[in-house]
Amino acid sequence: MTRRPAIDTVGPGLDPGAVSLPGVLMQAITHIAPAVGLIFTVQAISGVAGVASPFALAFAALAMASVAVSVVQLSRKISSAGGYFTWVSATLGPRAGFFVAWIFLLFEPIGAGINIAFLGGILQATFKAEYGYDLAWWVTAMVGCLVLTAVSYFGLRLSIRFVVVMGAFEILVCVALALTSLVHPGRGGLNLTPFNPANATSLNGLFLGVVFAIFAFAGFEEVAPLAEESREPARTLPRAVVLSLLITGVFLLFTSWGILVGWGTSDLSSFVSGGSPVLTLAHRLWGAGWILILVALINSAVGVGIAVQNASTRVIFGMARAGALPAALAKIHPVHRTPVNAVWMQSIITAIVALGGGLAFGAIGVLTFAAVIITLLVIVIYTAGNLATWLLYSRKYPREYRRITHLVVPIVSSIILIYVGYKTVRPLPSGVDKWAPAVAAGWFVLGLLVVAVLSTTGHRQWMTHAGVAIATDEPPAPAGEAASSVPTASR
């Protein structure tokens, strides 16, 4: 593989200043998918952790808060569209930065497809149970792919409007159901037992619940690729990261507690074994109004798909603009100012993942399979970011170095993440999900081999250019200036 020189984009460029803080914030929140988390993840966590699933969510939220400390500290000094890719490249070098980019290219682009397939499975089961109509899951998946493509094609401003409206709607509806559940509790009455870890099925089950919970929060930092189109990105992006984690953390803790109490903490076995217990609970409490929860689920799946499309297409575009991917992917639509060919490429990936994953693992099972892969890979990225925090402040900003903030918190965060990764694979997940760690490990090893081959064949400069492309969405400097092309720190 040879490195092509950086190219000029075809078209007027992306749309600077298209998104303000509320839009960037909802990009992060919808990437986390609050309603999907409540309807799917809480049931999955309860299946392994028992009634203590809100505690598992709280533990995961604290772990993510420790990760957010590094995100904020790094973004204060290095403001760019690439987030972790920039930070790792600037502190650990181009090889590590390229490797982090490699990991990103597996777990982020598949997010839209797995959620659309999952939505298709839920709608198929729901329509059959409610109306006796068998709506094939793949029909929903294909319609979803078309919607995501259209929204992404016609501009970031349009897609962010969708995200803001849908995100606000799903949060309000789910909170309303949780409040209703607390007012009308099931067997066991109104209680706080879900927050007591002693009520977990086992310690191992509790940590398995944390694994699913971390998957639920993953993506809170995926606003970085919008930096070029955000207003005051150096200020807006860090705020969006922190606020999105805070809002979704409170949301999932409150709503999961409300749903479990409303179902009945003394009747958890039926909650775990039920097809869609949150929809069933909405039926019981709201009657015909249960449809609002179904709409919130649709909103959530489409919303996370849009958020993934926004993030992935900007990364693909940035790599193409630097010559790391085919030049055609750097084309900008002359009117809508979107990376039009990157949108088409991401849409093809979404369709392949949705249909292929649904056929291979089941429309609902594909989300569980992907959850294990994504959890393992984000642990690698988050840990690399923790190391980058220590290196950046201890070496470049020694006067601002704080032992607790820049050393202790990153170490504690990394230990938690690594242990969660260990509990993900020991014991191995059951059924077909046992192969998910092998997929993640295979991608990890393949990435190391790619980096080794590029390094030994004189392509280290190519990796530097690719890393800068992802990091900054700006064409890298000529070959002789690569060392200075890594983003400089800014206050």
Side-chain angles (χ1 to χ4, degrees), residues 152-183:
S152 301
Y153 181 88
F154 287 108
L156 186 65
R157 295 176 188 268
L158 174 63
S159 64
I160 290 297
R161 290 192 191 102
F162 267 78
V163 163
V164 170
V165 173
M166 292 190 298
F169 173 80
E170 70 179 271
I171 288 174
L172 290 174
V173 170
C174 291
V175 168
L177 180 61
L179 286 170
T180 308
S181 299
L182 293 173
V183 174

Side-chain angles (χ1 to χ4, degrees), residues 1 18 37-39 47 74 76-77 161 170 188 220 225 265 282 327 347 362 371 377 389 413:
M1 182 185 295
L38 177 63
I39 294 171
L74 289 166
R76 286 181 60 226
K77 299 300 181 183
R161 290 192 191 102
E170 70 179 271
F220 72 94
T265 54
S347 296
L377 294 182
T389 300
S413 173

Side-chain angles (χ1 to χ4, degrees), residues 223-272:
V223 295
L226 302 187
E228 190 172 339
E229 298 158 278
S230 302
R231 300 172 194 169
E232 298 184 278
R235 291 166 55 87
T236 299
L237 301 188
R239 291 178 179 178
V241 165
V242 174
L243 287 173
S244 66
L245 185 58
L246 178 63
I247 292 171
T248 54
V250 172
F251 169 86
L252 285 173
L253 287 178
F254 177 76
T255 55
S256 63
W257 172 50
I259 292 301
L260 290 176
V261 168
W263 185 272
T265 54
S266 299
D267 189 26
L268 196 66
S269 59
S270 62
F271 180 84
V272 172

Side-chain angles (χ1 to χ4, degrees), residues 1 41 84 110 114 116 130 258 288-289 302 314 330 356 377 393 398 431 450:
M1 182 185 295
T41 310
Y84 278 99
I110 69 174
I114 62 176
I116 292 300
E130 294 293 329
V302 174
R314 270 62 184 178
L377 294 182
Y393 279 85
V450 170

Side-chain angles (χ1 to χ4, degrees), residues 302-380:
V302 174
V304 69
I306 293 173
V308 168
Q309 294 266 128
N310 287 339
S312 295
T313 53
R314 270 62 184 178
V315 171
I316 294 169
F317 162 79
M319 293 183 72
R321 185 162 62 179
L325 289 176
L329 294 173
K331 180 180 179 180
I332 297 292
H333 193 283
V335 177
H336 306 302
R337 304 180 74 172
T338 52
V340 58
N341 287 344
V343 169
W344 292 125
M345 179 177 176
Q346 173 58 41
S347 296
I348 291 171
I349 293 172
T350 297
I352 292 173
V353 170
L355 294 178
L359 291 172
F361 308 106
I364 296 177
V366 65
L367 188 59
T368 306
F369 188 86
V372 177
I373 296 174
I374 292 173
T375 299
L376 291 172
L377 294 182
V378 297
I379 286 172
V380 176

Side-chain angles (χ1 to χ4, degrees), residues 77-288:
K77 299 300 181 183
I78 305 175
S79 176
S80 76
Y84 278 99
F85 317 123
T86 315
W87 304 329
V88 173
S89 294
T91 55
L92 301 179
R95 291 182 180 89
F98 182 83
F99 181 68
V100 167
W102 175 270
I103 291 177
F104 173 92
L105 289 176
L106 175 62
F107 79 80
E108 177 66 13
I110 69 174
I114 62 176
N115 278 278
I116 292 300
F118 170 74
L119 175 63
I122 291 293
L123 290 184
Q124 182 175 23
T126 302
F127 272 69
K128 193 169 185 177
E130 294 293 329
Y131 310 113
Y133 178 71
D134 190 9
L135 176 64
W137 65 269
W138 59 266
V139 173
T140 299
M142 285 296 90
V143 172
C145 288
L146 292 174
V147 170
L148 296 183
T149 301
V151 173
S152 301
Y153 181 88
F154 287 108
L156 186 65
R157 295 176 188 268
L158 174 63
S159 64
I160 290 297
R161 290 192 191 102
F162 267 78
V163 163
V164 170
V165 173
M166 292 190 298
F169 173 80
E170 70 179 271
I171 288 174
L172 290 174
V173 170
C174 291
V175 168
L177 180 61
L179 286 170
T180 308
S181 299
L182 293 173
V183 174
H184 302 282
R187 290 176 55 192
L190 181 62
N191 61 80
L192 297 175
T193 57
F195 295 105
N196 185 354
N199 294 321
T201 53
S202 65
L203 183 60
N204 185 67
L206 185 62
F207 274 101
L208 285 177
V210 173
V211 170
F212 282 107
I214 284 182
F215 168 71
F217 287 112
F220 72 94
E221 77 292 343
E222 288 300 332
V223 295
L226 302 187
E228 190 172 339
E229 298 158 278
S230 302
R231 300 172 194 169
E232 298 184 278
R235 291 166 55 87
T236 299
L237 301 188
R239 291 178 179 178
V241 165
V242 174
L243 287 173
S244 66
L245 185 58
L246 178 63
I247 292 171
T248 54
V250 172
F251 169 86
L252 285 173
L253 287 178
F254 177 76
T255 55
S256 63
W257 172 50
I259 292 301
L260 290 176
V261 168
W263 185 272
T265 54
S266 299
D267 189 26
L268 196 66
S269 59
S270 62
F271 180 84
V272 172
S273 61
S276 299
V278 176
L279 295 179
T280 302
L281 180 63
H283 249 300
R284 190 174 80 200
L285 296 177
W286 285 358

